[in-house]
Amino acid sequence: MQRRSFVTQTASLAFSAALLSPGLSRAQAQAPRAGTDFNVLDRPAPVEAPAGKIELLEFFWYNCPHCNAFEPVLSEWVKKLPKDVVFKRVPVAFRDDFVPQQRLFYALEALNLIDSLHARVFAAIHVEKKNLSQAPAIVDWVVKQGVDENKFIEQFNSFSAATKATRARQLQTAYQVEGVPALGVAGRYYTDGALAKSMGRVLQVADHLTEQLRRTG
């Protein structure tokens, strides 16, 4: 996966294999290794999780087909995370034209609509083939989901959404995100499908790293 790219044939095949295969290869069964399955950040990334908690970030883009395929798998995995793990989603912006979808996510978050509409955004784009890349189309779609138009526009255009979008880009840079979907762990570690060779393996790497952090602090 090249820097600032979103899909490659290798990552795509590995991702599909992870979703379809119930077993793991001998290599996948080995303990995750730094530099192979995950990267250790040269400089720690900022974290917001309180003391005693482990921050876990998912970097994603609504238009990314791999993020769409990963979302239901990730959501089920998140439900089983230990109570000391704080999970957050971070919408990336590799280009300026990604920003409207960042604002979409943070507006939904502000209105407490992530649980009900986050997966539906993916479905609208990847199943219904809607173009939700620009503000007018985004607003029109959200209103059709029963959301108050004025409240959504207020949040979409808010200083808070702009600030959070800027912070998301800073986190993306701090974690040296190579592509999406990807995970960042505790401001220290980064992994994605290209490193771990499958998105199923990515989740195993994250489990390993959180357990390691739990033991060592």
Side-chain angles (χ1 to χ4, degrees):
M1 193 176 291
Q2 300 295 316
R3 179 72 172 167
R4 297 296 186 256
S5 67
F6 319 123
V7 297
T8 66
Q9 184 177 15
T10 299
S12 177
L13 292 173
F15 185 91
S16 299
L19 295 181
L20 297 176
S21 174
L24 294 172
S25 68
R26 182 176 299 178
Q28 286 177 313
Q30 295 174 353
R33 294 177 295 170
T36 300
D37 299 295
F38 63 91
N39 290 335
V40 180
L41 301 185
D42 295 331
R43 295 181 179 180
V47 297
E48 294 182 341
K53 301 290 186 178
I54 300 170
E55 185 172 88
L56 177 64
L57 307 179
E58 183 221 4
F59 294 94
F60 77 96
W61 177 39
Y62 278 125
N63 274 27
C64 167
H66 298 307
C67 297
N68 174 56
F70 186 46
E71 174 56 30
V73 178
L74 176 69
S75 293
E76 287 303 310
W77 180 74
V78 167
K79 291 176 183 178
K80 301 173 185 177
L81 287 174
K83 293 182 179 180
D84 63 345
V85 177
V86 178
F87 173 76
K88 296 181 181 179
R89 293 180 171 90
V90 181
V92 300
F94 292 123
R95 304 188 306 261
D96 290 343
D97 59 347
F98 285 32
V99 173
Q101 289 190 355
Q102 285 185 303
R103 286 176 171 267
L104 163 61
F105 175 81
Y106 288 119
L108 294 179
E109 184 179 66
L111 294 170
N112 296 314
L113 294 172
I114 292 296
D115 288 347
S116 59
L117 291 184
H118 180 66
R120 286 164 68 178
V121 176
F122 279 115
I125 294 170
H126 298 280
V127 179
E128 300 168 24
K129 305 302 180 183
K130 296 185 180 297
N131 183 349
L132 299 184
S133 59
Q134 300 297 322
I138 289 171
V139 172
D140 181 67
W141 181 83
V142 169
V143 171
K144 288 179 179 177
Q145 309 313 305
V147 179
D148 183 274
E149 181 174 2
N150 291 332
K151 290 182 179 179
F152 178 77
I153 291 175
E154 180 182 2
Q155 294 299 329
F156 185 85
N157 293 325
S158 69
F159 177 76
S160 175
T163 300
K164 289 180 178 179
T166 297
R167 177 170 174 77
R169 296 183 79 160
Q170 291 170 343
L171 284 170
Q172 170 190 320
T173 299
Y175 273 98
Q176 303 173 41
V177 176
E178 297 289 342
V180 289
L183 297 184
V185 183
R188 304 186 195 182
Y189 308 110
Y190 168 85
T191 186
D192 60 23
L195 282 166
K197 303 302 184 290
S198 77
M199 292 310 299
R201 177 68 167 164
V202 163
L203 298 181
Q204 294 176 350
V205 171
D207 282 334
H208 170 81
L209 291 173
T210 53
E211 179 58 32
Q212 178 176 288
L213 287 164
R214 194 172 289 113
R215 292 196 307 265
T216 62

